[in-house]
Amino acid sequence: MNADNLDRELNGMTEALEYFKLNEGLLITHAQRDLFEKDGKKIVFLPAHEYLTLII
């Protein structure tokens, strides 16, 4: 994830969270793990391999 992608992804997720009236969202990434807060919304970036171990 680079600076251009990051802004796009955070803005898109924030918009989706507002539309669905949610306070937290999850973005599955290739390898990045991060936590961001934007406009009072919590956005978690989680690597795909970690996500897959959560659902199995």
Side-chain angles (χ1 to χ4, degrees), residues 10-26:
L10 289 176
N11 290 335
M13 178 59 85
T14 302
E15 186 176 321
L17 292 172
E18 288 173 3
Y19 179 83
F20 289 107
K21 297 177 177 42
L22 299 171
N23 293 318
E24 186 174 326
L26 177 66

Side-chain angles (χ1 to χ4, degrees), residues 24-55:
E24 186 174 326
L26 177 66
L27 282 168
I28 309 302
T29 65
H30 179 260
Q32 183 176 353
R33 174 184 254 266
D34 258 314
L35 173 64
F36 294 94
E37 290 210 20
K38 181 173 178 162
D39 300 333
K41 308 290 185 188
K42 181 178 168 184
I43 303 168
V44 178
F45 283 44
L46 192 65
H49 70 275
E50 288 185 34
Y51 175 75
L52 291 171
T53 62
L54 294 174
I55 62 171

